[in-house]
Amino acid sequence: MSPLILKFLPFLRWRGQITPDSLKADFMAGLTGLVLVLPQAVAYAFIAGLPPEYGIYTAIVSCSVAALFGSSWHLVSGPTAALAIVVMSVINGLGSHTPEQYIALMISLTLLTGVIQLALGVFRLGTLVNFISHTVVIGFTAGAAVLIAASQLKHLLGVELGSGLSLWQTIEQLWAHWESVNLVAVQAGVITILVAVVVRSINRRLPYLLLGMAAGSLACFLLDSDGSRVGYVGALPGQLPVPSLPEFSFASLKSLASGALAVALLGLIEAVSIARAIAVRSQQHIHGNQELIGQGMSNLVGSFFSCFASTGSFTRSGANYDAGARTPLATVFASVMLALVVVMAPAITERLPLSVMAGSILLISWNLIDFGSIRHILSSSRSEAAILLVTLFSTLLVELEFAIYIGVLLSLAIYLRRTSQPRIVRVAPLQQSERRHMRNIQRYNLEECPQLKIIRVDGSLFFGAVDHVQQQIRQLTAPGSGVRHILLVGKGINFIDVAGVEMLHQEINRLERLGGKLMICSLKGTVMDELERTGALKSLGDDHFYETPKTALADLIPMLDRDRCDSCTVRIFSDCPPPPPEKV
């Protein structure tokens, strides 16, 4: 079958694996997924500032499309907490809107997110996702968890606050309204959290979130039987999403572009990371660009069915695999069953208290924070710790999409700083060994030739690094040092760009004017081929390049000052001339 057809219809790859046994296994896994996704879909819509049905629609449509067009057999996509809070932040950052305008902008954001993701997949640009480091994601997710938790405190406490408040404004207003806390709401929310935590500690496979919400709702019913003392989510519309065109106005798409890029990149990172993590257990090969196409299609199609931006869910994906799912049909079964619940039991959320919903979201927020990874990063690397803390506090202090960009830019800055200062290691032969391998002089406490320095460059010679390398060479050959010759061991060099060639040309000419020479050895074959192809090898001179240090030294040692060699007490090289006979 044509690779192009499989690229856009990837479900044809696994259709041959569908058997009566696999259908049964997928159906049971789908039932497990239904139990998990129902409370989560409502909760994540709540986080995004949307009515509950929009989370349900996303879990039905976007989830199914991602399963059919992605490459992973076990990845379950849909609404997630981190992406929901970003969606809310992006739209709130555009100013105040009516509920209808808010929903229209949310759908347009989903459309634009899908277009960006699909374009990245089609043009095989999935490697761009790698520019957002794992540390940035951990810091951003932890900050988003704090914001999500803060946004739900008003519902947990039963306090009326304004919408679109920052973290500090929320804390300030909660403090000002402390006396109006609703104790019934607090009790229902706390019971939800306690029951969910206890159930999860007993057996993590049990639907602890659903059971916690059921316990909290029951407690609220006993404390507020007439439904007048606390707020409730309300019933679902009882109908499936009707296809409709998103708003295509240039003005709205332009205003959403920056946020859509952040949502798209964050969604792709989550989806690809989860797919690869599950693939380690399932032994399935993941096609990264196909996963991007699947996520792009899910958001693109979802925007026509009132969905908000979705991505992979680690909880639901792990549960899907553990439940015995064999093909993506397990996800489709869960979506179909969820659609039946919406049509046949729309009143399922009618008496769901807002404080119970808030309690479940607080627990979700706590689970988002990866305390183990945070401790490891803070204790193991100062640069990674800086990236983590800057991203975390940026998430709390600025717009969420810009917090992602700040983390990415800081990661790139630290990476460029490392690559622009490649390690320059001074090496010398092992004098006590017959083969005299080149080793680090400091580690092995080796003597160096006073006329010649051998350096190993552990990094590429590109425009960002040439100044650092050139400074090191000039320090070694400074006036008064007595060093006029440099042997550069290039086995750690992956490429040399135009600026690197120009720097080598300058140093070759400078050392020749001093009566010395710059020699380069042990370059990789690919680097030599590139230098030859561009003509740099000819312009620098073939006589400056050698295959091994041994062949370079064979030509270089006769150029050394013999008088200084005679006064040297240590024979550094095997080719060193013998010491002069002692005078009688």
Side-chain angles (χ1 to χ4, degrees), residues 466 470 496-508 540:
V466 292
Q470 189 170 35
I496 303 176
D497 70 358
V498 175
V501 172
E502 178 60 27
M503 183 274 291
L504 292 176
H505 199 274
Q506 291 176 7
E507 291 307 300
I508 286 172
L540 292 173

Side-chain angles (χ1 to χ4, degrees), residues 1 37 202 224 234 281 285 302 385 391 414-415 420-421 425 438 472 474 477 492 528 533 535 541 556 574:
M1 190 172 292
V37 75
I202 294 173
D224 181 30
R281 301 170 62 189
H285 178 67
T391 306
I414 291 178
Y415 170 75
S420 66
Q421 296 181 357
V425 182
M438 294 292 174
Q472 295 293 313
R474 294 197 172 189
T477 57
M528 291 293 292
R533 186 186 66 80
L556 189 53
S574 57

Side-chain angles (χ1 to χ4, degrees), residues 33 37-38 40-45 54-67 74-85 87 110 113 117 263 266-268 270-271 274 291 294-295 298-299 302 307-317 331 335 338:
V37 75
L38 181 58
Q40 289 187 357
V42 175
Y44 298 150
Y54 289 89
I56 300 290
Y57 296 161
T58 306
I60 294 173
V61 179
S62 298
C63 181
S64 300
V65 175
H74 301 100
L75 177 68
V76 179
S77 295
T80 64
L83 220 56
I85 190 70
V87 167
T110 306
T113 298
Q117 292 176 331
V263 173
L266 181 62
L268 291 177
E270 286 195 62
I274 294 167
E291 206 56 61
Q295 293 299 315
S298 71
N299 285 309
C307 302
F308 66 92
S310 67
T311 185
S313 165
F314 190 83
T315 302
R316 298 196 297 275
S317 299
T331 303
S335 299
L338 182 59

Side-chain angles (χ1 to χ4, degrees), residues 415-565:
Y415 170 75
L416 289 174
R417 181 176 179 274
R418 290 172 179 169
T419 56
S420 66
Q421 296 181 357
R423 184 179 288 109
I424 309 295
V425 182
R426 289 161 62 178
V427 297
L430 285 171
Q431 283 101 45
Q432 62 271 31
S433 168
E434 292 184 4
R435 303 190 66 179
R436 301 209 168 190
H437 296 292
M438 294 292 174
R439 292 292 183 266
N440 188 321
I441 62 167
Q442 293 182 343
R443 180 169 299 173
Y444 289 87
N445 195 26
L446 300 176
E447 297 280 352
E448 290 183 282
C449 176
Q451 303 181 61
L452 162 68
K453 298 301 178 187
I454 308 173
I455 59 173
R456 189 185 72 228
V457 179
D458 292 341
S460 298
L461 294 181
F462 72 108
F463 63 93
V466 292
D467 185 61
H468 174 72
V469 176
Q470 189 170 35
Q471 286 184 16
Q472 295 293 313
I473 293 175
R474 294 197 172 189
Q475 285 179 9
L476 293 174
T477 57
S481 65
V483 178
R484 294 184 299 173
H485 305 281
I486 294 289
L487 174 59
L488 192 155
V489 181
K491 62 181 180 181
I493 298 175
N494 291 319
F495 67 91
I496 303 176
D497 70 358
V498 175
V501 172
E502 178 60 27
M503 183 274 291
L504 292 176
H505 199 274
Q506 291 176 7
E507 291 307 300
I508 286 172
N509 292 337
R510 185 180 69 86
L511 290 177
E512 285 182 352
R513 289 195 299 270
L514 296 175
K517 190 169 186 179
L518 172 64
M519 291 181 156
I520 305 161
C521 69
S522 303
L523 284 177
K524 297 176 181 178
T526 53
V527 178
M528 291 293 292
D529 292 342
E530 183 68 13
L531 291 176
E532 186 172 8
R533 186 186 66 80
T534 59
L537 192 64
K538 184 177 181 181
S539 67
L540 292 173
D542 294 345
D543 58 321
H544 293 91
F545 293 86
Y546 294 84
E547 288 189 6
T548 64
K550 184 176 181 180
T551 55
L553 290 171
D555 281 358
L556 189 53
I557 288 175
M559 302 179 189
L560 301 179
D561 187 336
R562 181 56 191 262
D563 291 336
R564 294 182 64 187
C565 286

Side-chain angles (χ1 to χ4, degrees), residues 187-269:
Q187 291 176 74
V190 171
I191 289 173
T192 300
I193 297 172
L194 291 177
V195 171
V197 170
V198 170
V199 172
R200 187 181 184 187
S201 64
I202 294 173
N203 188 342
R204 296 177 68 91
R205 287 192 165 190
L206 292 174
Y208 61 91
L209 199 60
L210 187 62
L211 294 175
M213 292 170 65
S217 299
L218 178 60
C220 194
F221 177 78
L222 296 176
L223 296 169
D224 181 30
S225 57
D226 60 351
S228 61
R229 300 178 64 184
V230 299
Y232 293 90
V233 173
L236 297 172
Q239 62 182 19
L240 296 177
V242 178
S244 60
L245 288 175
E247 183 184 344
F248 286 99
S249 71
F250 177 77
S252 63
L253 294 179
K254 181 181 178 181
S255 64
L256 291 168
S258 174
L261 179 61
V263 173
L265 292 177
L266 181 62
L268 291 177
I269 288 171

Side-chain angles (χ1 to χ4, degrees), residues 55-365:
I56 300 290
Y57 296 161
T58 306
I60 294 173
V61 179
S62 298
C63 181
S64 300
V65 175
L68 293 175
F69 289 90
S71 68
S72 174
W73 296 344
H74 301 100
L75 177 68
V76 179
S77 295
T80 64
L83 220 56
I85 190 70
V86 178
V87 167
M88 184 187 71
S89 174
V90 169
I91 299 177
N92 283 339
L94 301 178
S96 59
H97 308 283
T98 65
E100 293 76 17
Q101 291 173 331
Y102 186 94
I103 291 172
L105 286 171
M106 175 271 298
I107 294 174
S108 298
L109 177 64
T110 306
L111 170 67
L112 198 53
T113 298
V115 170
I116 293 171
Q117 292 176 331
L118 185 61
L120 291 176
V122 169
F123 293 105
R124 306 181 67 83
L125 297 174
T127 52
L128 291 177
V129 176
N130 297 331
F131 284 103
I132 303 183
S133 69
H134 183 59
T135 302
V136 171
V137 175
I138 290 175
F140 173 80
T141 306
V146 174
L147 294 178
I148 292 170
S151 70
Q152 299 305 308
L153 289 177
K154 63 181 180 180
H155 298 297
L156 181 71
L157 301 175
V159 176
E160 291 290 335
L161 298 181
S163 59
L165 300 177
S166 68
L167 174 63
W168 312 115
Q169 289 172 334
T170 300
I171 295 173
E172 183 181 358
Q173 291 206 19
L174 284 174
W175 181 260
H177 293 79
W178 187 253
E179 293 181 355
S180 59
V181 168
N182 188 324
L183 294 180
V184 174
V186 173
Q187 291 176 74
V190 171
I191 289 173
T192 300
I193 297 172
L194 291 177
V195 171
V197 170
V198 170
V199 172
R200 187 181 184 187
S201 64
I202 294 173
N203 188 342
R204 296 177 68 91
R205 287 192 165 190
L206 292 174
Y208 61 91
L209 199 60
L210 187 62
L211 294 175
M213 292 170 65
S217 299
L218 178 60
C220 194
F221 177 78
L222 296 176
L223 296 169
D224 181 30
S225 57
D226 60 351
S228 61
R229 300 178 64 184
V230 299
Y232 293 90
V233 173
L236 297 172
Q239 62 182 19
L240 296 177
V242 178
S244 60
L245 288 175
E247 183 184 344
F248 286 99
S249 71
F250 177 77
S252 63
L253 294 179
K254 181 181 178 181
S255 64
L256 291 168
S258 174
L261 179 61
V263 173
L265 292 177
L266 181 62
L268 291 177
I269 288 171
E270 286 195 62
V272 173
S273 300
I274 294 167
R276 288 173 177 168
I278 299 295
V280 171
R281 301 170 62 189
S282 66
Q283 303 300 310
Q284 182 204 349
H285 178 67
I286 298 298
H287 301 274
N289 285 301
Q290 186 63 54
E291 206 56 61
L292 269 60
I293 291 174
Q295 293 299 315
M297 287 291 293
S298 71
N299 285 309
L300 182 62
V301 174
S303 67
F304 290 88
F305 290 90
S306 301
C307 302
F308 66 92
S310 67
T311 185
S313 165
F314 190 83
T315 302
R316 298 196 297 275
S317 299
N320 187 47
Y321 177 76
D322 291 336
R326 297 188 186 178
T327 72
L329 281 180
T331 303
V332 176
F333 283 144
S335 299
V336 171
M337 287 186 276
L338 182 59
L340 292 175
V341 169
V342 171
V343 174
M344 301 175 65
I348 193 169
T349 61
E350 185 176 5
R351 286 298 298 267
L352 178 60
L354 293 177
S355 61
V356 168
M357 198 78 256
S360 65
I361 293 174
L362 286 174
L363 189 58
I364 291 170
S365 302

